Amino acid sequence: NSSYPDVEGYLNENDDLTEIGLDSISFIKIIVALEQNYDIEFDDISLDFSNFDSFNKLCDFVKESIENS
């Protein structure tokens, strides 16, 4: 069972996001949306696109940020 059931069928947790078309522009748009929707902030180090090469890593960071805020 996936930890993120809303994306089942579209994306596996460890899929490489660049392989589904995520580029640096779309990555920043996602970051901005996440920051606004969850009232979290990605620090400069966290804005490195390579840190979030999978959906799972991105979700884990958001979950941890919410828990620590």
Side-chain angles (χ1 to χ4, degrees), residues 2 4-21 53-56 58-59:
S2 173
Y4 312 103
D6 294 342
V7 298
E8 283 183 13
Y10 300 102
L11 185 65
N12 291 315
E13 291 178 359
N14 293 312
D15 282 353
D16 183 338
L17 296 178
T18 59
E19 289 182 11
I20 62 164
D53 57 355
S54 72
F55 179 72
N56 196 37
L58 185 57
C59 288

Side-chain angles (χ1 to χ4, degrees), residues 11-12 16 23 29-30 35 48 55 66 68:
L11 185 65
N12 291 315
D16 183 338
D23 59 17
K29 288 179 181 180
I30 290 170
E35 287 181 334
D48 184 350
F55 179 72
I66 291 169
N68 292 328

Side-chain angles (χ1 to χ4, degrees), residues 24-63:
S24 59
I25 301 291
S26 51
F27 176 71
I28 293 300
K29 288 179 181 180
I30 290 170
I31 296 306
V32 169
L34 290 169
E35 287 181 334
Q36 291 173 345
N37 286 312
Y38 294 103
D39 196 29
I40 59 174
E41 186 173 327
F42 285 69
D43 58 23
D44 290 344
I45 293 170
S46 299
L47 291 175
D48 184 350
F49 184 51
S50 64
N51 289 334
F52 304 107
D53 57 355
S54 72
F55 179 72
N56 196 37
K57 288 181 183 178
L58 185 57
C59 288
D60 286 345
F61 180 85
V62 170
K63 187 187 314 183

